[in-house]
Amino acid sequence: MDIRIIKSPSEGTINILLRRKGTGANTLPPCLDAVGLVQGKMIEMIVASDIAEKAVGVTVEEIKGSCPQNMILLAIFGETAAVEEALENIKRNWENN
Amino acid sequence: MDIRIIKSPSEGTINILLRRKGTGANTLPPCLDAVGLVQGKMIEMIVASDIAEKAVGVTVEEIKGSCPQNMILLAIFGETAAVEEALENIKRNWENN
Amino acid sequence: MDIRIIKSPSEGTINILLRRKGTGANTLPPCLDAVGLVQGKMIEMIVASDIAEKAVGVTVEEIKGSCPQNMILLAIFGETAAVEEALENIKRNWENN
Amino acid sequence: MDIRIIKSPSEGTINILLRRKGTGANTLPPCLDAVGLVQGKMIEMIVASDIAEKAVGVTVEEIKGSCPQNMILLAIFGETAAVEEALENIKRNWENN
Amino acid sequence: MDIRIIKSPSEGTINILLRRKGTGANTLPPCLDAVGLVQGKMIEMIVASDIAEKAVGVTVEEIKGSCPQNMILLAIFGETAAVEEALENIKRNWENN
Amino acid sequence: MDIRIIKSPSEGTINILLRRKGTGANTLPPCLDAVGLVQGKMIEMIVASDIAEKAVGVTVEEIKGSCPQNMILLAIFGETAAVEEALENIKRNWENN
């Protein structure tokens, strides 16, 4: 599982991510201060997505990979501190499994 | 073979899984207390699916992976104890092969 | 090359396999007492399929994998003893190559 | 690079191979006594195909793999001795590179 | 992560790259003195793309790989010194993670 | 990176290659005395293609691999000496990186 954070992502980066959103809706996440990226096997990403969705103040999006139905990347948008905490939760759960 | 369990899955997690169900029917599994996830090679997943379907009180769904016809993830819905027992059976069979 | 056998497969397991049959015909194999599964590289599966088809009392089906034209799994239906013998022949040939 | 030979291939085996032929023509190879199978990276298969086509008394077919444009398996039809000689030439060239 | 630079790319090379651009627009990058190439996992390429877009005097393009939605290669066009600096920034960030 | 050369390629080999050309044009390369084959990661092939196109007396074609947009094989047509020199340049550049 790979985890990265981009602070103050450029407009181009946000466009790359939003072009590949799993859900149809074209709405922007409410806060774009930072974006956390988590990449891994589908089973890990479903667990990570569940943890992130239970965190406060972040928006979770699946980013489509090489094929439309393969969720290999999660993008977690929000304020920097909120994104960092969500990534921390995912990492901690991962290390305890 | 990877095995994970999510207790009290978030609504978003259940949506991610149901969006990728192998069977057309849109009915929700009767119990969503927990979801067990099993990921592996197709041959292993067919054996695991057979074991889970012979267990009591769980609903088994194939979750489509990178390509529509490649079953790489099983989701096993039910009460926590029932899901744990189904996963235990899959694990035991796996270790004896 | 992976080889597994499922005795008294559940109805769900048989449906999973038949949904992915390589040939169009919707006829059920005449005997569903057991199903042998063989997974491997295409070149191995063609050799294994040839051996199984020369065995007595079994029906051989290719099960489609991640892409429609990639044969990666064979299902061999029949009475338990017949399936076991076909799998034994495949294994013996494999070990002598 | 994997090399195998099937002597007196069953009708089912020949059908599996011909269903995946790279060229559109539906004509059977003139001699079906034996079939040599060669599997490998595309660059190796192009070299192997060139060697087989320069051999005498064999018919070379590309067998389509996981995607229509990926040639990963060659089938070489002909009398057993001719197929064996073509496979021998491919093997010798391969070992000298 | 692989990083390469081509100075004074041939017309054929530029055509190969532009034929695979992720964005629809057919406009040429304003400066074609050099092209930097960065290849890696999707999560790495999103981070690298963000760094390159914050650099001065370069144009960043995603080059589509084996499947339309899988960004595996970035091409960074510009004057040689500007491209070299963008690649240097990507490399430095990469080594600190 | 794999590099091979076929001298006096058979008609079948040339057809296999030309059927998979990246560019639409159906014109034969002007000289078919020899064909050099280079296979590798997309980033390497773009660099190799740039070197070959700057060589004298050869025609460079991308050969499509498992998916239409994934360039994994280059074919370099020309007189034997010219092809050998282009391959030599690619190899030398590769070893210095």
Side-chain angles (χ1 to χ4, degrees):
Chain A
M1 190 161 64
D2 297 304
I3 298 183
R4 300 292 294 264
I5 190 166
I6 297 174
K7 292 174 189 176
S8 315
S10 73
E11 206 189 297
T13 303
I14 288 167
N15 286 341
I16 285 176
L17 292 172
L18 297 184
R19 262 210 302 277
R20 292 186 169 82
K21 279 202 316 178
T23 54
N26 260 325
T27 51
L28 273 179
C31 172
L32 295 166
D33 280 5
V35 54
L37 302 172
V38 189
Q39 183 173 285
K41 286 196 281 187
M42 194 160 68
I43 187 168
E44 297 166 4
M45 290 307 96
I46 290 167
V47 174
S49 169
D50 187 70
I51 293 166
E53 291 199 337
K54 288 169 178 165
V56 176
V58 297
T59 311
V60 185
E61 295 284 355
E62 327 163 23
I63 305 303
K64 292 180 204 164
S66 55
C67 277
Q69 284 163 307
N70 192 5
M71 179 180 62
I72 60 165
L73 186 71
L74 288 181
I76 301 168
F77 298 92
E79 288 188 26
T80 306
V83 170
E84 284 175 336
E85 197 188 316
L87 294 180
E88 201 47 57
N89 290 347
I90 289 169
K91 213 167 162 179
R92 200 175 321 120
N93 174 288
W94 172 244
E95 287 165 356
N96 295 338
N97 265 279
Chain B
M1 190 161 64
D2 297 305
I3 298 183
R4 299 292 295 263
I5 189 165
I6 297 173
K7 292 174 189 175
S8 315
S10 73
E11 206 189 297
T13 303
I14 289 168
N15 286 341
I16 285 176
L17 292 172
L18 297 184
R19 263 210 301 278
R20 292 186 171 82
K21 279 203 316 179
T23 55
N26 259 326
T27 51
L28 273 179
C31 171
L32 296 167
D33 280 6
V35 54
L37 301 172
V38 189
Q39 183 172 287
K41 287 197 280 188
M42 193 160 68
I43 188 169
E44 296 167 4
M45 289 307 98
I46 289 167
V47 174
S49 170
D50 187 70
I51 293 167
E53 291 199 338
K54 289 170 177 165
V56 176
V58 297
T59 311
V60 185
E61 294 285 356
E62 326 163 25
I63 306 304
K64 292 180 205 164
S66 54
C67 277
Q69 285 163 308
N70 192 4
M71 179 181 61
I72 60 164
L73 186 71
L74 288 182
I76 301 167
F77 299 93
E79 289 188 26
T80 306
V83 170
E84 285 176 336
E85 197 187 316
L87 295 180
E88 201 48 56
N89 289 347
I90 290 169
K91 211 167 164 181
R92 201 176 320 122
N93 174 288
W94 173 245
E95 288 164 357
N96 295 338
N97 265 278
Chain C
M1 191 162 62
D2 297 305
I3 298 182
R4 299 291 296 263
I5 189 167
I6 297 173
K7 292 173 188 176
S8 315
S10 74
E11 207 188 297
T13 304
I14 288 168
N15 286 341
I16 286 175
L17 292 172
L18 298 184
R19 263 208 302 279
R20 291 186 171 83
K21 281 203 314 179
T23 54
N26 259 324
T27 51
L28 274 179
C31 172
L32 297 165
D33 280 5
V35 55
L37 302 171
V38 189
Q39 184 172 285
K41 288 196 281 189
M42 194 159 69
I43 187 169
E44 297 167 4
M45 290 306 98
I46 289 167
V47 174
S49 170
D50 187 70
I51 293 166
E53 290 198 339
K54 288 171 178 165
V56 176
V58 297
T59 311
V60 184
E61 294 284 356
E62 325 163 27
I63 306 302
K64 292 180 205 162
S66 54
C67 277
Q69 285 163 307
N70 192 4
M71 179 182 61
I72 61 164
L73 185 71
L74 288 182
I76 301 167
F77 299 93
E79 288 189 26
T80 306
V83 170
E84 285 176 336
E85 198 186 315
L87 295 181
E88 201 47 57
N89 289 348
I90 289 168
K91 212 167 163 180
R92 202 176 317 124
N93 175 288
W94 173 245
E95 288 164 355
N96 295 338
N97 263 279
Chain D
M1 191 162 61
D2 298 304
I3 298 183
R4 299 291 295 264
I5 189 166
I6 297 173
K7 293 174 188 175
S8 315
S10 73
E11 207 189 296
T13 303
I14 289 168
N15 285 341
I16 285 174
L17 293 171
L18 297 184
R19 262 209 302 277
R20 292 187 170 80
K21 281 203 314 179
T23 54
N26 258 324
T27 50
L28 273 179
C31 170
L32 296 166
D33 279 6
V35 54
L37 301 171
V38 189
Q39 184 173 284
K41 287 197 282 190
M42 195 158 69
I43 188 169
E44 297 167 4
M45 290 306 98
I46 290 168
V47 174
S49 170
D50 187 70
I51 293 166
E53 291 198 337
K54 287 170 178 165
V56 176
V58 297
T59 312
V60 184
E61 295 284 356
E62 324 163 27
I63 305 302
K64 292 180 205 162
S66 54
C67 276
Q69 283 162 309
N70 191 5
M71 180 182 60
I72 60 165
L73 186 70
L74 288 181
I76 301 167
F77 298 93
E79 287 189 27
T80 306
V83 171
E84 284 175 336
E85 198 186 315
L87 295 181
E88 200 48 57
N89 290 348
I90 290 169
K91 212 166 162 179
R92 202 177 317 122
N93 175 288
W94 173 245
E95 287 165 354
N96 294 338
N97 264 279
Chain E
M1 191 162 63
D2 297 304
I3 298 183
R4 300 292 295 265
I5 190 167
I6 297 174
K7 292 174 189 175
S8 315
S10 73
E11 207 191 296
T13 303
I14 288 167
N15 286 341
I16 285 175
L17 293 171
L18 297 184
R19 263 209 302 278
R20 293 187 169 80
K21 280 202 317 179
T23 54
N26 259 325
T27 51
L28 272 180
C31 171
L32 296 166
D33 279 6
V35 54
L37 301 172
V38 189
Q39 184 172 285
K41 287 197 281 189
M42 195 159 68
I43 188 169
E44 298 166 3
M45 291 306 98
I46 289 168
V47 174
S49 171
D50 187 71
I51 293 166
E53 291 199 337
K54 288 170 179 165
V56 176
V58 296
T59 311
V60 184
E61 296 284 355
E62 327 163 23
I63 305 302
K64 293 180 203 163
S66 54
C67 277
Q69 284 162 310
N70 192 5
M71 179 181 61
I72 59 165
L73 186 71
L74 289 181
I76 301 166
F77 299 92
E79 288 189 27
T80 305
V83 171
E84 284 175 336
E85 197 187 316
L87 295 180
E88 201 47 58
N89 290 348
I90 290 169
K91 213 167 160 179
R92 200 174 322 119
N93 175 288
W94 172 244
E95 287 164 356
N96 295 340
N97 265 278
Chain F
M1 192 162 62
D2 298 303
I3 298 183
R4 299 291 295 263
I5 189 167
I6 298 174
K7 293 174 187 174
S8 315
S10 73
E11 207 190 296
T13 303
I14 289 168
N15 285 341
I16 285 175
L17 293 171
L18 297 184
R19 263 208 303 278
R20 292 187 169 80
K21 280 203 316 179
T23 54
N26 259 323
T27 51
L28 272 180
C31 170
L32 296 166
D33 279 6
V35 55
L37 301 172
V38 189
Q39 184 173 285
K41 287 197 281 188
M42 195 158 68
I43 189 170
E44 297 166 4
M45 289 307 97
I46 290 167
V47 175
S49 170
D50 187 70
I51 293 167
E53 291 199 336
K54 288 169 179 165
V56 176
V58 297
T59 311
V60 184
E61 295 285 355
E62 327 162 25
I63 305 302
K64 292 181 204 161
S66 54
C67 277
Q69 283 162 311
N70 192 5
M71 179 181 61
I72 59 165
L73 186 71
L74 288 182
I76 301 166
F77 299 92
E79 287 190 26
T80 305
V83 171
E84 284 175 336
E85 198 187 316
L87 294 180
E88 201 48 56
N89 290 349
I90 290 170
K91 213 166 160 179
R92 201 176 318 121
N93 175 288
W94 172 244
E95 287 164 356
N96 294 339
N97 265 279

